[in-house]
Amino acid sequence: MSLRLSWLSFFTLVFALVWAGYGFTQESVRTPAPAAHSPFPDLYEASIAELQEGLQKGLFTSVDLVKAYFARIDEVNLQGPTLRAVIEKNPSALTQAAQLDRERKLSGPRSALHGIPILLKDNIATLHSEGMNTTAGSFALLGSVVPRDAHVAAKLRAAGAILLGKANLSEWANFRGNVPSGFSGRGGQASSPYVPLGDPSGSSSGSGIGAAIGLAAAALGSETDGSIVSPSSVNNLVGIKPTVGLTSRDGVVPISEHQDTVGPMARSVADAATILSIIAGRDPRDNFTLAQPLVVPDYTKALNVHALRGARLGVPRKFVALLDDVRVAAFNASLATLRRLGATVVDPADFPDSEELLASNNETVVLSTDFKVDVERYIAGLVEVPTGVKTLADLIAFNIAHADEELVPPFWTDQSQFIASENTTVDQAFFDALAADKDLGQTRGIDGALRAFKLDALLLPTDIASSPAAIAGFPIVTVPLGFLPADTPLSPAQPTRESGPNMPFGLSFLGTAFSEFELISFAFAYEQATHTRLKVRAFPAAIPKTQLADIVGK
């Protein structure tokens, strides 16, 4: 077995023996934040605005920030709780930080993200010359040379952000097969910072973990169906899944051109809005972006605590009924909060085609067919691929030939989705499924409910919010809603736990195409009235101890 993945054979046994030693108790998750006497922001919770203020005042530099975040990653990524959130740190980050510090002194900051370290999911391309790989977590793409930054990465870089590293993910954005969320061949099995060995969800697993506990200021994820909002929910974060076409997918390892989108995962609505304002916009290399409004809104102008006054929000109650009592109770309580903040909540406000939405298999047809075409197009656009893979059939064969790294027993052996996708063709059944999805998701789905009940947005628990918006290509904003009770039993680790004490879950705001501004405003008003994220912290060993005070001047 390869040394690079020999840890996998012992993962479950080792963690089962040592998790209790990390100081996890049902009460200890409510650990108070560090004392407020420090002149530096607490990196567990620090906002982009707080970091920018400290940089402007000269309390610390971007070099200090990078050093601090690198140290925090080292504490918990491959040692301690071994969260495996980050696959690679950027070897050029310190050099970039020093250049941005000098630029700040000479001419001031470029943007609100100047000198701010951001993690990127490892399916978002970054310049090969700076020393990071882009692999979707797979050894099949290790060493591949991308032609340029992904468009969203280039926009971050142009705004002065520091691309801190590549976050772990469910390999191939969870499109290889029936494999636990958060596993990739290169990154190993990621796990939750809230429940030892907890399911971190996916596919933007490492982005969620890293943002949740301050391994970076924030992170980028990608979503086809749930891959931003679900790990944001489970990791107690704000996540924005943009309308397909608001952010470019150029340079992002794909699943489906019809559903893929890239968005921010952050500790606050304000931080997510700040990042979205930077990465949104047209890109001639992604023709879906040409459908967006000519001017990208400044989403930070949506941060209005009174935004819910007069808003009409609807509840697709038939979907809510699919969930457990704890999440339903928390969701119902949030409706009272929204009403108190001035919203009219129409309940029920079901999708006109609820039963068809729940029963439809069209999405499977679309994604399986798209993936084969789109991933081969992505690989063809690479400058160099040392492994020689060119097609989906090559990827399947690579995994078989490198099973000790990719198809590792007992939990990570499957590539059935790859095989199903390889057996597809672009035929009439595909085009019929695509048209049916548009009808189900848009016309008789989200837009149908919005029109029928004269609504500004829809509300759902995040656990069941993603699919209608996924097939429609419409946006979602998720915010923290609640936590499983402190006496929730720990479910078995196989290899991760489906549930456990204080596992977070979220509330989603859904809308029509390019309604992000309104959704952000509603989410912000709710967030500011509840501050749910602050009510429970990660388990103690998952909280890195390094702070700026340990770095500055040392």
Side-chain angles (χ1 to χ4, degrees):
M1 176 174 288
S2 166
L3 290 176
R4 283 182 288 187
L5 276 185
S6 61
W7 64 270
L8 281 168
S9 299
F10 305 102
F11 177 85
T12 304
L13 174 62
V14 170
F15 274 72
L17 291 173
V18 302
W19 74 267
Y22 295 152
F24 174 81
T25 66
Q26 293 170 353
E27 292 77 23
S28 65
V29 291
R30 298 181 183 271
T31 309
H37 64 267
S38 171
F40 305 113
D42 172 18
L43 294 180
Y44 180 90
E45 198 63 32
S47 69
I48 290 172
E50 288 171 324
L51 295 175
Q52 198 60 252
E53 181 182 14
L55 290 166
Q56 280 295 96
K57 288 180 177 178
L59 295 177
F60 49 87
T61 65
S62 290
V63 168
D64 293 328
L65 266 183
V66 170
K67 288 180 178 178
Y69 284 131
F70 276 177
R72 290 171 71 84
I73 291 169
D74 289 343
E75 284 184 63
V76 298
N77 198 51
L78 298 180
Q79 55 187 341
T82 321
L83 300 178
R84 296 191 177 272
V86 178
I87 293 180
E88 297 184 24
K89 294 180 290 187
N90 185 353
S92 302
L94 283 169
T95 300
Q96 293 170 11
Q99 292 169 344
L100 290 162
D101 284 334
R102 288 193 293 272
E103 183 179 323
R104 182 185 297 275
K105 288 182 179 180
L106 290 172
S107 55
R110 301 182 196 178
S111 78
L113 294 183
H114 187 109
I116 301 296
I118 305 289
L119 281 170
L120 276 64
K121 186 177 181 179
D122 183 42
N123 62 350
I124 300 173
T126 53
L127 294 172
H128 188 76
S129 58
E130 75 177 3
M132 287 194 294
N133 289 282
T134 304
T135 68
S138 171
F139 284 111
L141 293 185
L142 184 61
S144 61
V145 179
V146 299
R148 58 190 169 271
D149 274 333
H151 187 76
V152 290
K155 288 177 79 71
L156 286 176
R157 200 187 296 277
I162 298 166
L163 310 185
L164 188 70
K166 290 297 181 72
N168 199 5
L169 71 165
S170 306
E171 188 174 300
W172 296 103
N174 203 29
F175 213 71
R176 193 188 82 183
N178 185 17
V179 178
S181 290
F183 168 81
S184 71
R186 290 194 61 224
Q189 178 64 62
S191 59
S192 167
Y194 283 88
V195 175
L197 285 184
D199 181 355
S201 191
S203 64
S204 305
S205 314
S207 299
I209 299 163
I213 56 175
L215 304 186
L220 287 193
S222 67
E223 175 154 334
T224 308
D225 185 339
S227 288
I228 289 172
V229 298
S230 183
S232 294
S233 173
V234 170
N235 288 287
N236 201 19
L237 292 172
V238 174
I240 300 178
K241 179 253 178 177
T243 304
V244 174
L246 182 66
T247 55
S248 171
R249 289 84 50 86
D250 177 63
V252 179
V253 183
I255 292 178
S256 166
E257 67 175 354
H258 295 100
Q259 292 189 198
D260 292 350
T261 186
V262 180
M265 301 168 70
R267 294 181 288 273
S268 68
V269 176
D271 285 356
T274 297
I275 295 170
L276 185 62
S277 297
I278 297 293
I279 64 172
R282 295 184 170 207
D283 175 14
R285 291 193 177 96
D286 182 350
N287 63 351
F288 280 69
T289 66
L290 304 182
Q292 68 178 263
L294 285 173
V295 178
V296 175
D298 176 355
Y299 293 107
T300 64
K301 288 185 166 57
L303 305 177
N304 174 12
V305 294
H306 304 301
L308 286 163
R309 292 179 181 174
R312 284 180 60 84
L313 309 176
V315 177
R317 185 56 69 172
K318 290 179 182 177
F319 269 60
V320 178
L322 301 173
L323 284 180
D324 60 90
D325 291 346
V326 171
R327 287 176 173 84
V328 171
F331 175 74
N332 289 340
S334 76
L335 303 182
T337 300
L338 292 163
R339 290 184 176 107
R340 178 172 57 80
L341 294 171
T344 296
V345 177
V346 181
D347 183 7
D350 284 306
F351 301 116
D353 59 352
S354 292
E355 288 77 11
E356 289 179 74
L357 266 173
L358 291 169
S360 172
N361 190 48
N362 292 311
E363 184 182 22
T364 301
V365 175
V366 171
L367 300 188
S368 294
T369 308
D370 268 349
F371 179 73
K372 181 180 179 180
V373 175
D374 293 348
V375 79
E376 291 180 3
R377 182 188 300 127
Y378 173 85
I379 294 172
L382 296 173
V383 176
E384 182 182 347
V385 186
T387 62
V389 298
K390 295 181 180 179
T391 65
L392 179 52
D394 292 342
L395 294 175
I396 294 168
F398 179 92
N399 289 340
I400 294 170
H402 300 82
D404 61 334
E405 296 175 326
E406 290 288 350
L407 306 178
V408 185
F411 301 108
W412 307 280
T413 60
D414 191 61
Q415 57 174 341
S416 58
Q417 182 57 64
F418 266 17
I419 295 167
S421 185
E422 171 59 22
N423 291 326
T424 63
T425 56
V426 179
D427 55 14
Q428 190 58 46
F430 166 74
F431 291 113
D432 289 347
L434 195 60
D437 267 356
K438 182 174 181 179
D439 177 55
L440 284 171
Q442 297 182 8
T443 308
R444 293 190 294 128
I446 293 172
D447 282 342
L450 294 174
R451 283 195 304 269
F453 298 97
K454 298 180 174 58
L455 303 173
D456 298 300
L458 296 166
L459 300 164
L460 281 171
T462 302
D463 286 26
I464 42 89
S466 67
S467 289
I471 64 173
F474 285 178
I476 306 174
V477 179
T478 181
V479 294
L481 171 61
F483 307 85
L484 293 184
D487 60 356
T488 302
L490 282 165
S491 62
Q494 297 176 336
T496 53
R497 307 180 193 278
E498 291 184 2
S499 62
N502 300 290
M503 182 174 277
F505 52 86
L507 170 68
S508 282
F509 296 81
L510 297 78
T512 193
F514 304 111
S515 62
E516 283 84 357
F517 193 95
E518 290 76 20
L519 301 184
I520 288 168
S521 71
F522 300 151
F524 179 75
Y526 177 82
E527 172 200 57
Q528 294 301 300
T530 57
H531 295 290
T532 302
R533 174 176 159 80
L534 304 178
K535 294 175 182 176
V536 174
R537 285 162 64 88
F539 66 88
I543 301 176
K545 296 179 175 58
T546 301
Q547 294 286 350
L548 282 164
D550 303 308
I551 303 296
V552 176
K554 302 296 193 290

